[in-house]
Amino acid sequence: MKLKSIVVFCASSFGHSIAYSEQAARVGQVFAERGIQLVYGGGKVGLMGTVANAALEAGGKVVGVIPHFLNSKEREHTGVTTLITVDTMHDRKRIMNDYAEGVIALPGGFGTLEELFEMITWAQLGLHKKPVGLLNTNNFYQHLIHFIDHMVSEGLLKKENREMLLIADTIEELLEKMERYEPVAVTKWIKKDDI
């Protein structure tokens, strides 16, 4: 299935490796080339600004969603195609979800992880059937991937739910996985006796 609109969660800072900015720019460029609308947090700084600017420079459409109180911190990007200002972080995520057919996390901090895990949890609970991807730029998420696998080995996460999180090192490979994604049947609450 060709995705027409994807949410990208990422840092409002640049990090120490130039690879993060280079990959964020590549994401924006590829989205524009493929006609994928970028939906993101609405800021003009850090990796957020990089992915948005790259998409815009390549002729893509960009929807930014930012809460009022973050305007001074993340500085809203007034050059995007559509800028939506909301009251709360919850409103931000809800609207971003409404606009998108898929989700990708680039490198980021607590906010990026919180957004990623909320979206993958919603998928696990059957609240949406969108592909959720992790772009493992420069092995940024390698420790997290190992920890998620540890959850499976410890019996706290089902293997089929683990496989809902699509992982790749390049945006091209990740988009390919996302376009081939088939949602799994919701199994979170099935008891062993029912199987």
Side-chain angles (χ1 to χ4, degrees):
M1 169 185 77
K2 181 167 172 22
L3 300 170
K4 297 176 186 170
S5 185
I6 297 177
V7 166
V8 171
F9 298 126
C10 61
S12 58
S13 56
F14 291 105
H16 295 307
S17 174
I18 190 68
Y20 305 144
S21 295
E22 290 172 346
Q23 185 73 281
R26 181 70 185 145
V27 169
Q29 180 184 17
V30 168
F31 274 28
E33 289 170 357
R34 297 189 183 194
I36 300 170
Q37 177 176 260
L38 167 66
V39 182
Y40 85 116
K44 66 178 181 180
V45 295
L47 300 182
M48 290 173 65
T50 301
V51 69
N53 288 334
L56 291 166
E57 287 166 14
K61 292 183 180 176
V62 178
V63 175
V65 186
I66 191 166
H68 294 287
F69 75 91
L70 283 181
N71 283 349
S72 62
K73 293 181 171 69
E74 294 179 356
R75 296 191 297 267
E76 67 184 28
H77 195 316
T78 55
V80 297
T81 312
T82 304
L83 181 65
I84 302 168
T85 306
V86 297
D87 292 326
T88 69
M89 294 294 282
H90 294 294
D91 291 338
R92 182 193 218 182
K93 286 183 288 188
R94 178 183 51 79
I95 290 171
M96 291 170 84
N97 178 56
D98 289 346
Y99 267 83
E101 298 173 346
V103 177
I104 294 175
L106 305 185
F110 283 155
T112 301
L113 289 178
E114 184 269 333
E115 292 162 332
L116 168 70
F117 280 113
E118 182 159 6
M119 294 307 294
I120 196 68
T121 300
W122 288 2
Q124 178 180 259
L125 297 174
L127 299 176
H128 72 74
K129 297 179 185 284
K130 302 171 185 180
V132 178
L134 194 61
L135 191 55
N136 192 26
T137 304
N138 206 31
N139 287 319
F140 178 79
Y141 282 115
Q142 206 58 46
H143 295 292
L144 178 64
I145 294 164
H146 288 312
F147 181 68
I148 293 170
D149 290 337
H150 179 64
M151 292 177 188
V152 176
S153 67
E154 289 297 308
L156 298 170
L157 178 65
K158 292 184 177 180
K159 185 175 183 291
E160 58 267 33
N161 293 135
R162 156 66 179 88
E163 290 171 356
M164 296 172 98
L165 183 60
L166 308 174
I167 302 167
D169 297 332
T170 68
I171 186 58
E172 293 85 357
E173 181 188 357
L174 187 55
L175 287 174
E176 186 179 318
K177 287 183 177 185
M178 292 175 75
E179 289 171 356
R180 290 194 326 253
Y181 176 71
E182 294 288 337
V184 299
V186 177
T187 59
K188 171 73 178 157
W189 304 113
I190 296 176
K191 297 176 186 172
K192 282 186 178 179
D193 297 342
D194 295 335
I195 298 175

